[in-house]
Coordinates of all heavy atoms in Angstrom, one line a residue:
M1 N 88.5 82.1 99.9 CA 89.5 83.0 99.2 C 90.6 83.5 100.1 O 90.1 84.1 101.2 CB 88.7 84.0 98.4 CG 89.3 84.5 97.1 SD 88.3 85.7 96.1 CE 88.9 87.2 96.9
A2 N 91.8 83.5 99.7 CA 92.7 84.0 100.5 C 92.9 85.5 100.4 O 92.5 86.1 99.4 CB 94.2 83.4 100.1
L3 N 93.4 86.2 101.4 CA 93.8 87.6 101.4 C 94.8 87.9 100.1 O 95.6 87.1 99.8 CB 94.6 87.9 102.6 CG 95.0 89.4 102.9 CD1 93.8 90.2 103.2 CD2 96.1 89.4 103.9
E4 N 94.5 88.9 99.5 CA 95.2 89.3 98.3 C 96.5 90.0 98.8 O 96.3 91.0 99.4 CB 94.4 90.2 97.3 CG 95.4 90.6 96.1 CD 94.6 91.6 95.1 OE1 93.5 92.0 95.5 OE2 95.2 92.0 94.2
L5 N 97.6 89.5 98.6 CA 98.9 90.0 99.0 C 99.4 90.9 98.0 O 100.0 90.3 97.0 CB 99.9 89.0 99.5 CG 99.5 88.0 100.5 CD1 100.5 86.8 100.6 CD2 99.3 88.7 101.9
R6 N 99.1 92.2 98.0 CA 99.5 93.1 97.0 C 101.0 93.2 97.0 O 101.6 93.4 98.2 CB 98.5 94.3 97.0 CG 97.2 93.9 96.7 CD 96.2 95.2 96.7 NE 94.9 94.7 96.6 CZ 93.8 95.6 96.7 NH1 94.0 96.8 96.8 NH2 92.6 95.0 96.4
P7 N 101.7 93.6 95.9 CA 103.1 93.7 95.8 C 103.7 95.0 96.1 O 104.8 95.0 96.3 CB 103.3 93.3 94.4 CG 102.1 93.9 93.6 CD 101.0 93.6 94.5
N8 N 102.9 96.1 96.3 CA 103.6 97.4 96.4 C 102.7 98.3 97.3 O 101.4 98.1 97.5 CB 103.8 98.0 95.1 CG 102.6 98.4 94.4 OD1 101.8 97.4 94.2 ND2 102.5 99.6 93.8
C9 N 103.4 99.4 97.9 CA 102.5 100.3 98.5 C 102.0 101.2 97.5 O 102.6 101.8 96.5 CB 103.5 101.2 99.5 SG 102.8 102.7 100.1
E10 N 100.7 101.4 97.6 CA 99.8 102.1 96.5 C 100.2 103.6 96.6 O 100.2 104.3 95.6 CB 98.4 102.0 96.9 CG 97.5 102.3 95.9 CD 96.0 102.0 96.3 OE1 95.7 100.8 96.7 OE2 95.2 102.9 96.3
Y11 N 100.9 104.1 97.6 CA 101.2 105.4 97.7 C 102.7 105.8 97.2 O 102.8 106.6 96.3 CB 101.1 106.1 99.1 CG 101.0 107.5 99.3 CD1 99.9 108.1 99.5 CD2 102.2 108.2 99.2 CE1 99.8 109.5 99.7 CE2 102.2 109.6 99.4 CZ 100.9 110.2 99.6 OH 101.0 111.7 99.7
C12 N 103.6 105.1 97.7 CA 105.0 105.3 97.4 C 105.7 104.2 96.6 O 106.9 104.5 96.1 CB 105.8 105.6 98.7 SG 106.1 104.0 99.6
D13 N 105.0 103.2 96.3 CA 105.4 102.1 95.3 C 106.5 101.2 96.0 O 107.2 100.5 95.2 CB 106.0 102.7 94.1 CG 105.9 101.6 92.9 OD1 104.9 100.8 92.9 OD2 106.8 101.6 92.1
K14 N 106.7 101.4 97.2 CA 107.7 100.4 97.9 C 107.3 99.1 97.6 O 106.1 98.8 97.8 CB 107.8 100.9 99.4 CG 108.9 100.1 100.1 CD 108.9 100.7 101.6 CE 109.3 102.2 101.6 NZ 109.2 102.7 102.9
D15 N 108.3 98.1 97.5 CA 107.9 96.7 97.3 C 107.4 96.3 98.7 O 108.1 96.5 99.8 CB 109.2 95.9 97.0 CG 109.6 96.2 95.5 OD1 108.6 96.6 94.8 OD2 110.6 95.9 95.1
L16 N 106.4 95.5 98.7 CA 105.9 94.8 99.9 C 105.7 93.4 99.7 O 104.5 92.9 99.6 CB 104.6 95.4 100.4 CG 104.6 96.9 100.7 CD1 103.2 97.6 100.9 CD2 105.5 97.2 102.0
P17 N 106.8 92.5 99.8 CA 106.6 91.1 99.6 C 105.9 90.4 100.6 O 105.7 91.1 101.8 CB 108.1 90.6 99.6 CG 108.9 91.7 100.4 CD 108.1 93.1 100.1
P18 N 105.5 89.2 100.5 CA 104.7 88.5 101.5 C 105.1 88.5 103.0 O 104.5 88.5 103.9 CB 104.5 87.1 100.9 CG 104.8 87.1 99.5 CD 105.7 88.4 99.3
E19 N 106.5 88.6 103.1 CA 107.1 88.5 104.4 C 107.4 89.8 105.0 O 107.9 90.0 106.1 CB 108.4 87.7 104.4 CG 109.6 88.3 103.7 CD 109.5 88.2 102.1 OE1 108.5 87.9 101.5 OE2 110.6 88.5 101.5
S20 N 106.9 90.9 104.2 CA 107.1 92.3 104.7 C 106.5 92.5 106.2 O 105.3 92.1 106.3 CB 106.7 93.3 103.8 OG 106.7 94.6 104.4
T21 N 107.2 93.1 107.1 CA 106.6 93.4 108.3 C 106.1 94.8 108.4 O 105.5 95.3 109.3 CB 107.6 93.2 109.5 OG1 108.7 94.1 109.3 CG2 108.0 91.8 109.6
I22 N 106.3 95.7 107.3 CA 105.9 97.0 107.2 C 104.7 97.1 106.5 O 104.1 98.3 106.3 CB 107.0 97.9 106.7 CG1 107.3 97.5 105.2 CG2 108.1 97.9 107.7 CD1 108.1 98.7 104.6
A23 N 104.0 96.1 105.8 CA 102.8 96.2 105.1 C 101.6 96.5 105.9 O 101.4 95.8 107.0 CB 102.6 95.0 104.2
R24 N 100.6 97.3 105.5 CA 99.4 97.6 106.2 C 98.4 97.4 105.3 O 98.5 97.8 104.1 CB 99.4 99.1 106.9 CG 100.6 99.3 107.8 CD 100.4 98.4 109.1 NE 101.4 98.7 110.1 CZ 102.4 98.0 110.2 NH1 102.8 97.0 109.4 NH2 103.5 98.3 111.2
I25 N 97.1 97.0 105.7 CA 96.1 96.8 104.9 C 94.7 97.4 105.6 O 94.7 97.3 106.7 CB 95.7 95.3 104.5 CG1 95.6 94.5 105.7 CG2 96.9 94.7 103.6 CD1 95.2 93.0 105.5
C26 N 93.7 97.8 104.7 CA 92.5 98.1 105.3 C 91.5 96.9 105.0 O 92.0 95.8 104.5 CB 91.9 99.3 104.5 SG 91.2 98.9 102.9
S27 N 90.4 97.0 105.4 CA 89.3 95.8 105.3 C 89.1 95.4 103.8 O 88.8 94.2 103.6 CB 88.1 96.1 106.0 OG 87.2 96.9 105.1
F28 N 89.4 96.2 102.9 CA 89.4 96.0 101.5 C 90.6 95.4 100.9 O 90.7 95.4 99.7 CB 88.6 97.2 100.7 CG 87.3 97.4 101.0 CD1 87.1 98.4 101.9 CD2 86.3 96.8 100.6 CE1 85.7 98.8 102.3 CE2 84.9 97.0 101.0 CZ 84.7 98.1 101.9
E29 N 91.7 95.3 101.6 CA 92.9 94.9 101.2 C 93.7 95.9 100.5 O 94.7 95.6 99.8 CB 92.8 93.7 100.3 CG 92.1 92.5 101.0 CD 91.9 91.2 100.0 OE1 91.3 91.4 99.0 OE2 92.1 90.2 100.4
C30 N 93.2 97.2 100.5 CA 94.1 98.3 100.0 C 95.4 98.2 100.9 O 95.3 98.1 102.1 CB 93.4 99.7 100.3 SG 91.7 99.7 99.7
T31 N 96.5 98.3 100.2 CA 97.8 98.0 100.8 C 98.8 99.1 100.7 O 99.0 99.8 99.6 CB 98.4 96.8 100.1 OG1 97.3 95.8 100.2 CG2 99.7 96.2 100.7
F32 N 99.4 99.5 101.9 CA 100.2 100.6 101.9 C 101.4 100.2 102.9 O 101.3 99.2 103.6 CB 99.5 101.8 102.5 CG 98.5 102.4 101.6 CD1 97.2 101.9 101.7 CD2 98.8 103.4 100.6 CE1 96.3 102.3 100.8 CE2 97.8 103.8 99.7 CZ 96.4 103.4 99.9
C33 N 102.5 100.9 102.9 CA 103.6 100.8 103.9 C 103.3 101.5 105.1 O 102.5 102.5 105.1 CB 104.9 101.2 103.2 SG 105.3 103.0 103.1
V34 N 103.9 101.1 106.2 CA 103.6 101.8 107.5 C 103.9 103.3 107.5 O 103.2 104.2 108.1 CB 104.2 101.0 108.6 CG1 105.8 101.1 108.6 CG2 103.8 101.6 110.0
E35 N 105.1 103.7 106.7 CA 105.4 105.1 106.9 C 104.4 105.9 106.0 O 104.0 107.0 106.5 CB 106.8 105.2 106.0 CG 107.9 104.7 106.7 CD 108.3 103.3 106.3 OE1 107.3 102.6 105.8 OE2 109.4 102.9 106.7
C36 N 103.8 105.4 104.9 CA 102.8 106.3 104.4 C 101.5 106.2 105.2 O 100.8 107.3 105.3 CB 102.4 105.6 103.0 SG 103.8 105.9 101.7
V37 N 101.1 105.2 105.8 CA 99.9 105.0 106.7 C 100.0 106.1 107.8 O 99.1 106.9 108.2 CB 99.7 103.7 107.2 CG1 98.8 103.7 108.4 CG2 99.3 102.8 106.1
D38 N 101.3 106.2 108.5 CA 101.5 107.0 109.7 C 101.7 108.4 109.2 O 101.1 109.4 109.8 CB 102.7 106.6 110.4 CG 102.4 105.4 111.1 OD1 101.2 104.9 111.3 OD2 103.3 104.7 111.6
L39 N 102.6 108.7 108.1 CA 103.0 110.0 107.9 C 102.2 110.8 106.8 O 102.0 112.0 106.6 CB 104.5 110.1 107.4 CG 105.4 109.4 108.6 CD1 106.8 109.3 107.8 CD2 105.3 110.2 109.8
K40 N 101.6 110.0 105.8 CA 100.9 110.6 104.7 C 99.4 110.4 104.9 O 98.6 111.3 104.5 CB 101.2 109.9 103.4 CG 102.8 109.8 103.1 CD 103.3 111.2 102.7 CE 104.8 111.0 102.2 NZ 105.3 112.3 101.9
L41 N 99.0 109.4 105.5 CA 97.5 109.0 105.4 C 96.8 109.2 106.8 O 95.7 109.1 106.9 CB 97.4 107.5 104.9 CG 97.9 107.3 103.5 CD1 97.7 105.8 103.3 CD2 97.1 108.1 102.5
D42 N 97.6 109.3 107.8 CA 97.0 109.5 109.2 C 95.9 108.3 109.5 O 95.0 108.6 110.1 CB 96.3 110.8 109.4 CG 97.2 111.8 109.9 OD1 98.0 111.5 110.9 OD2 97.3 112.9 109.5
N43 N 96.4 107.2 109.1 CA 95.5 106.0 109.2 C 94.1 106.1 108.6 O 93.1 105.6 109.0 CB 95.4 105.6 110.8 CG 94.8 104.2 111.1 OD1 95.1 103.2 110.2 ND2 94.1 104.0 112.0
V44 N 94.0 106.9 107.5 CA 92.9 106.9 106.7 C 93.1 106.3 105.3 O 93.9 107.0 104.5 CB 92.3 108.4 106.6 CG1 91.1 108.5 105.6 CG2 92.0 109.0 107.9
C45 N 92.4 105.3 104.9 CA 92.5 104.7 103.6 C 92.1 105.7 102.6 O 90.9 106.2 102.6 CB 91.8 103.4 103.6 SG 92.0 102.7 101.7
P46 N 92.9 106.0 101.6 CA 92.5 107.0 100.6 C 91.3 106.4 99.7 O 90.7 107.3 99.0 CB 93.8 107.3 99.8 CG 94.6 106.2 100.1 CD 94.3 105.6 101.4
N47 N 91.1 105.1 99.7 CA 90.0 104.6 98.9 C 88.7 104.5 99.6 O 87.8 105.0 99.2 CB 90.5 103.2 98.3 CG 91.7 103.4 97.5 OD1 91.9 104.2 96.8 ND2 92.7 102.5 97.9
C48 N 88.8 103.8 100.8 CA 87.5 103.5 101.6 C 87.3 104.4 102.9 O 86.2 104.4 103.2 CB 87.5 102.1 101.8 SG 88.6 101.7 103.2
G49 N 88.3 105.0 103.3 CA 88.2 105.9 104.6 C 88.4 105.1 105.8 O 88.3 105.6 106.8
G50 N 88.7 103.7 105.7 CA 88.8 102.9 106.9 C 90.2 103.1 107.5 O 91.1 103.7 106.9
G51 N 90.5 102.4 108.5 CA 91.8 102.4 109.2 C 92.6 101.1 108.7 O 92.1 100.3 107.9
F52 N 93.9 101.0 109.2 CA 94.7 100.0 108.7 C 95.1 99.1 109.8 O 95.2 99.6 111.0 CB 96.0 100.7 108.1 CG 95.6 101.3 106.8 CD1 95.5 102.7 106.8 CD2 95.7 100.6 105.6 CE1 95.2 103.3 105.5 CE2 95.4 101.2 104.4 CZ 95.2 102.6 104.4
V53 N 95.6 97.9 109.6 CA 96.1 97.0 110.5 C 97.4 96.4 109.8 O 97.4 96.3 108.6 CB 95.3 95.9 111.0 CG1 94.1 96.5 111.8 CG2 94.7 95.0 109.8
P54 N 98.3 95.8 110.6 CA 99.4 95.1 110.0 C 99.0 94.0 109.2 O 98.0 93.3 109.5 CB 100.3 94.7 111.2 CG 99.9 95.5 112.3 CD 98.4 95.9 112.1
R55 N 99.5 93.7 108.0 CA 99.2 92.6 107.2 C 99.8 91.3 107.7 O 100.9 91.3 107.9 CB 99.6 92.9 105.7 CG 99.1 91.8 104.7 CD 99.5 92.1 103.3 NE 100.9 91.9 103.1 CZ 101.6 92.2 102.0 NH1 101.0 92.7 100.9 NH2 103.0 92.0 101.8
P56 N 99.0 90.4 107.8 CA 99.5 89.1 108.4 C 100.5 88.5 107.4 O 100.3 88.6 106.1 CB 98.3 88.1 108.5 CG 97.1 89.1 108.3 CD 97.5 90.2 107.6
I57 N 101.4 87.8 107.9 CA 102.4 87.2 107.0 C 102.2 85.8 106.7 O 101.9 85.0 107.6 CB 103.8 87.3 107.6 CG1 104.2 88.7 107.8 CG2 104.9 86.4 107.0 CD1 105.6 89.0 108.4
R58 N 102.0 85.5 105.4 CA 101.6 84.1 104.9 C 102.9 83.2 105.1 O 104.0 83.6 104.7 CB 101.2 84.3 103.6 CG 100.7 82.8 103.0 CD 99.8 83.0 101.8 NE 98.7 83.9 102.0 CZ 97.9 84.4 101.0 NH1 98.3 84.2 99.7 NH2 97.0 85.2 101.2
P59 N 102.7 82.1 105.7 CA 103.9 81.4 106.0 C 104.6 80.9 104.7 O 103.9 80.5 103.9 CB 103.5 80.1 106.8 CG 101.9 80.2 106.8 CD 101.6 81.6 106.4
A60 N 105.9 81.0 104.7 CA 106.7 80.4 103.5 C 106.7 79.0 103.4 O 106.6 78.3 102.4 CB 108.1 80.9 103.6
R61 N 106.7 78.3 104.7 CA 106.7 76.9 104.8 C 105.3 76.4 104.8 O 104.4 76.9 105.4 CB 107.4 76.6 106.2 CG 107.7 75.1 106.3 CD 108.7 74.9 107.4 NE 108.6 73.5 108.0 CZ 109.2 73.2 109.0 NH1 109.9 73.9 109.8 NH2 109.0 71.9 109.5
Q62 N 105.2 75.3 104.1 CA 103.9 74.5 104.1 C 103.5 73.7 105.2 O 103.8 72.5 105.2 CB 103.7 73.7 102.8 CG 102.4 73.3 102.4 CD 102.3 72.5 101.1 OE1 101.2 72.2 100.7 NE2 103.4 72.2 100.5
W63 N 103.1 74.3 106.3 CA 102.9 73.6 107.7 C 101.6 72.7 107.5 O 101.6 71.7 108.1 CB 102.6 74.5 108.7 CG 103.8 75.4 109.1 CD1 104.1 76.7 108.6 CD2 105.0 75.1 109.8 NE1 105.3 77.2 109.0 CE2 105.8 76.1 109.9 CE3 105.4 74.0 110.6 CZ2 107.0 76.2 110.5 CZ3 106.5 74.0 111.2 CH2 107.3 75.0 111.2
R64 N 100.7 73.1 106.7 CA 99.6 72.2 106.3 C 99.4 72.3 104.9 O 99.7 73.1 104.2 CB 98.3 72.8 106.9 CG 98.3 73.0 108.5 CD 98.0 71.7 109.1 NE 97.7 71.9 110.6 CZ 97.4 71.0 111.4 NH1 97.5 69.7 111.1 NH2 97.1 71.2 112.7
P65 N 98.8 71.1 104.3 CA 98.8 71.1 102.9 C 98.0 72.3 102.1 O 96.9 72.6 102.5 CB 97.9 69.8 102.7 CG 98.1 68.9 103.9 CD 98.2 69.9 105.0
G66 N 98.8 72.8 101.2 CA 98.2 73.8 100.4 C 98.3 75.2 100.9 O 97.8 76.2 100.2
L67 N 98.7 75.4 102.1 CA 98.7 76.7 102.7 C 100.1 77.4 103.0 O 100.6 77.2 104.1 CB 97.9 76.7 104.1 CG 96.5 76.1 103.9 CD1 95.8 76.0 105.2 CD2 95.6 77.1 103.0
S68 N 100.5 77.9 101.9 CA 101.9 78.5 102.1 C 102.0 79.5 100.9 O 101.1 79.6 100.0 CB 103.0 77.5 101.9 OG 103.0 76.9 100.4
V69 N 103.0 80.4 100.9 CA 103.2 81.5 99.8 C 103.3 80.7 98.5 O 102.9 81.2 97.5 CB 104.5 82.3 100.2 CG1 104.8 83.1 99.0 CG2 104.1 83.2 101.3
A70 N 104.1 79.5 98.5 CA 104.4 78.9 97.3 C 103.1 78.3 96.6 O 102.8 78.5 95.5 CB 105.3 77.8 97.4
K71 N 102.2 77.9 97.5 CA 100.8 77.2 96.9 C 99.8 78.3 96.9 O 99.0 78.3 95.9 CB 100.4 76.3 98.0 CG 101.2 75.0 98.2 CD 101.1 74.2 97.1 CE 101.9 73.0 97.2 NZ 102.0 72.1 96.0
R72 N 99.8 79.4 97.6 CA 98.9 80.5 97.4 C 99.7 81.9 97.3 O 99.8 82.7 98.2 CB 98.0 80.6 98.6 CG 97.3 79.4 99.0 CD 96.2 79.0 97.8 NE 95.1 79.9 97.8 CZ 93.9 79.6 98.5 NH1 93.8 78.7 99.2 NH2 93.1 80.6 98.3
P73 N 100.3 82.0 96.0 CA 101.3 83.1 95.8 C 100.6 84.4 95.8 O 99.4 84.6 95.7 CB 101.8 82.8 94.5 CG 100.7 82.1 93.8 CD 100.0 81.3 94.9
P74 N 101.5 85.6 96.2 CA 101.1 86.9 96.3 C 100.6 87.4 94.9 O 100.9 86.9 93.8 CB 102.3 87.7 96.7 CG 103.4 86.9 96.3 CD 103.0 85.5 96.4
S75 N 99.8 88.4 94.8 CA 99.4 89.0 93.6 C 100.7 89.7 93.0 O 101.6 90.2 93.7 CB 98.4 90.2 94.0 OG 98.2 91.1 92.8
T76 N 100.7 89.9 91.6 CA 101.8 90.5 91.0 C 101.2 91.8 90.4 O 101.8 92.6 89.7 CB 102.3 89.7 89.8 OG1 101.2 89.3 88.9 CG2 103.0 88.4 90.4
K77 N 100.0 92.1 90.6 CA 99.4 93.4 89.9 C 99.7 94.5 90.9 O 99.2 94.7 91.9 CB 97.8 93.1 89.9 CG 97.1 94.3 89.1 CD 95.6 94.1 89.1 CE 95.0 95.3 88.6 NZ 93.5 95.5 88.9
Q78 N 100.5 95.4 90.2 CA 101.0 96.6 90.8 C 99.7 97.6 91.0 O 98.9 97.6 90.1 CB 102.0 97.5 90.0 CG 103.4 96.5 89.9 CD 104.3 96.6 91.1 OE1 104.4 97.7 91.7 NE2 104.8 95.6 91.3
R79 N 99.7 98.3 92.2 CA 98.5 99.2 92.4 C 99.0 100.6 92.5 O 100.1 100.8 92.9 CB 97.8 98.9 93.6 CG 97.2 97.4 93.7 CD 96.1 97.3 92.9 NE 95.6 95.9 93.0 CZ 94.3 95.5 93.0 NH1 93.3 96.4 92.9 NH2 94.0 94.1 93.1
Q80 N 98.3 101.5 91.9 CA 98.6 103.0 92.0 C 97.4 103.7 92.7 O 96.4 103.1 92.8 CB 98.9 103.7 90.7 CG 100.2 103.3 90.1 CD 100.2 101.9 89.4 OE1 99.1 101.6 88.7 NE2 101.1 101.0 89.4
L81 N 97.7 104.9 93.1 CA 96.6 105.8 93.8 C 95.5 105.9 92.8 O 95.6 106.1 91.6 CB 97.1 107.0 94.2 CG 98.2 106.9 95.5 CD1 98.7 108.2 95.7 CD2 97.5 106.4 96.7
S82 N 94.3 105.9 93.2 CA 93.1 106.3 92.3 C 92.8 107.7 92.4 O 91.8 108.0 91.7 CB 92.0 105.3 92.7 OG 92.4 104.0 92.7
Y83 N 93.3 108.5 93.3 CA 92.9 109.8 93.4 C 94.2 110.8 93.5 O 95.3 110.2 93.9 CB 92.1 110.1 94.7 CG 90.9 109.2 94.8 CD1 91.0 107.9 95.5 CD2 89.8 109.6 94.3 CE1 90.0 107.1 95.6 CE2 88.5 108.7 94.3 CZ 88.8 107.4 95.0 OH 87.7 106.5 94.9
D84 N 94.0 112.0 93.2 CA 95.3 112.8 93.2 C 95.6 113.2 94.7 O 94.8 113.0 95.6 CB 95.2 114.0 92.4 CG 94.0 114.9 92.7 OD1 94.0 115.3 93.9 OD2 93.5 115.7 91.8
L85 N 96.8 113.7 94.9 CA 97.4 113.9 96.2 C 96.5 114.9 97.1 O 96.3 114.9 98.1 CB 98.7 114.3 96.2 CG 99.6 113.2 95.7 CD1 101.2 113.8 95.8 CD2 99.5 111.9 96.5
A86 N 96.0 116.0 96.3 CA 95.2 117.0 97.0 C 93.8 116.3 97.5 O 93.3 116.6 98.5 CB 94.9 118.1 96.1
D87 N 93.2 115.6 96.6 CA 92.0 114.9 97.0 C 92.2 114.0 98.2 O 91.4 113.9 99.2 CB 91.5 114.1 95.7 CG 90.1 113.5 96.1 OD1 90.2 112.4 96.7 OD2 89.1 113.8 95.5
I88 N 93.4 113.2 98.2 CA 93.6 112.4 99.3 C 93.9 113.1 100.5 O 93.3 112.7 101.6 CB 94.8 111.5 98.9 CG1 94.4 110.5 97.8 CG2 95.5 110.7 100.1 CD1 95.6 109.8 97.1
A89 N 94.5 114.2 100.5 CA 94.8 115.0 101.6 C 93.4 115.5 102.3 O 93.2 115.6 103.4 CB 95.7 116.2 101.4
A90 N 92.5 116.0 101.4 CA 91.2 116.5 101.9 C 90.4 115.4 102.5 O 89.8 115.6 103.6 CB 90.5 117.2 100.7
H91 N 90.4 114.3 101.8 CA 89.7 113.0 102.3 C 90.3 112.7 103.7 O 89.5 112.5 104.7 CB 90.0 111.9 101.3 CG 89.5 110.6 101.6 ND1 88.2 110.1 101.3 CD2 90.1 109.5 102.2 CE1 88.1 108.9 101.8 NE2 89.3 108.5 102.2
R92 N 91.6 112.7 103.9 CA 92.2 112.4 105.2 C 91.8 113.2 106.1 O 91.4 113.0 107.4 CB 93.7 112.4 104.9 CG 94.6 112.2 106.2 CD 96.0 112.7 106.1 NE 96.1 114.1 105.8 CZ 97.0 114.8 105.2 NH1 98.0 114.1 104.6 NH2 96.8 116.2 105.0
D93 N 91.9 114.6 105.9 CA 91.5 115.6 106.9 C 90.0 115.7 107.3 O 89.8 116.1 108.4 CB 91.9 117.0 106.4 CG 93.5 117.1 106.3 OD1 94.2 116.2 106.8 OD2 94.0 118.0 105.6
R94 N 89.2 115.2 106.5 CA 87.7 115.1 106.8 C 87.5 114.0 107.8 O 86.5 114.0 108.4 CB 87.1 114.8 105.4 CG 85.6 115.0 105.4 CD 85.1 115.2 103.9 NE 85.5 114.1 103.0 CZ 86.1 114.2 101.8 NH1 86.5 115.3 101.4 NH2 86.4 113.1 101.1
I95 N 88.5 112.9 107.8 CA 88.1 111.7 108.4 C 89.0 111.3 109.6 O 88.6 110.6 110.5 CB 88.2 110.5 107.4 CG1 87.1 110.7 106.2 CG2 88.0 109.2 107.9 CD1 87.2 109.9 105.0
K96 N 90.2 111.9 109.6 CA 91.2 111.3 110.5 C 90.9 111.5 112.0 O 91.4 110.7 112.8 CB 92.5 112.1 110.2 CG 92.6 113.4 110.6 CD 94.0 114.1 110.2 CE 94.1 115.6 110.5 NZ 95.3 116.2 110.0
A97 N 90.0 112.5 112.4 CA 89.8 112.6 113.8 C 88.7 111.7 114.3 O 88.5 111.5 115.4 CB 89.3 114.2 114.0
I98 N 88.2 110.9 113.3 CA 87.1 110.0 113.7 C 87.8 108.6 113.9 O 88.4 108.3 113.0 CB 85.9 109.8 112.6 CG1 85.5 111.2 112.3 CG2 84.9 109.0 113.1 CD1 84.6 111.2 111.1
A99 N 87.5 108.0 114.9 CA 88.1 106.6 115.2 C 87.7 105.7 114.2 O 86.5 105.8 113.9 CB 88.0 106.2 116.7
P100 N 88.6 104.7 113.9 CA 88.1 103.8 112.7 C 86.8 103.1 113.0 O 86.0 102.8 112.2 CB 89.3 102.9 112.6 CG 90.4 103.7 113.1 CD 89.9 104.6 114.0
E101 N 86.7 102.7 114.4 CA 85.4 102.0 114.7 C 84.2 102.9 114.7 O 83.1 102.4 114.9 CB 85.6 101.4 116.1 CG 85.8 102.3 117.3 CD 87.3 102.6 117.6 OE1 88.1 102.7 116.6 OE2 87.6 102.8 118.7
H102 N 84.4 104.1 114.5 CA 83.2 105.1 114.4 C 83.0 105.7 113.0 O 82.2 106.6 112.7 CB 83.3 106.1 115.5 CG 83.2 105.7 116.8 ND1 82.2 105.0 117.4 CD2 84.1 105.7 117.8 CE1 82.4 104.7 118.6 NE2 83.6 105.1 118.8
R103 N 83.9 105.2 112.0 CA 83.7 105.8 110.6 C 82.5 105.3 109.9 O 82.3 104.2 109.7 CB 85.1 105.6 109.9 CG 86.1 106.5 110.5 CD 87.5 106.2 109.7 NE 88.5 106.9 110.3 CZ 89.8 106.6 110.2 NH1 90.2 105.7 109.3 NH2 90.8 107.2 111.0
Ligands
LIG1 ZN1 104.4 103.8 101.1
LIG2 ZN1 90.5 100.9 101.8

């Protein structure tokens, strides 16, 4: 199964197309933009509490059979936050001092 390339930042709703260099994901594919990860979330996923890494860019060009954005298209399902902002801030503040590898 391929990585789910989600279409938007779950926090600010910015578009994050497959070629975006500002998309960040957690291990569960929760997807945010880099500004929200740095400035709002302090590298704490509001859903799972994990950290983020840059989302890999799926090649537009089909270098190998079946493996391109056209053949394995991004998700179109828009995502929104599952918790309110106060809850997310408390969750972040509880976790942010712990390095992701120790969470
Ligand atoms: Zn954002
Ligand atoms: Zn997550």
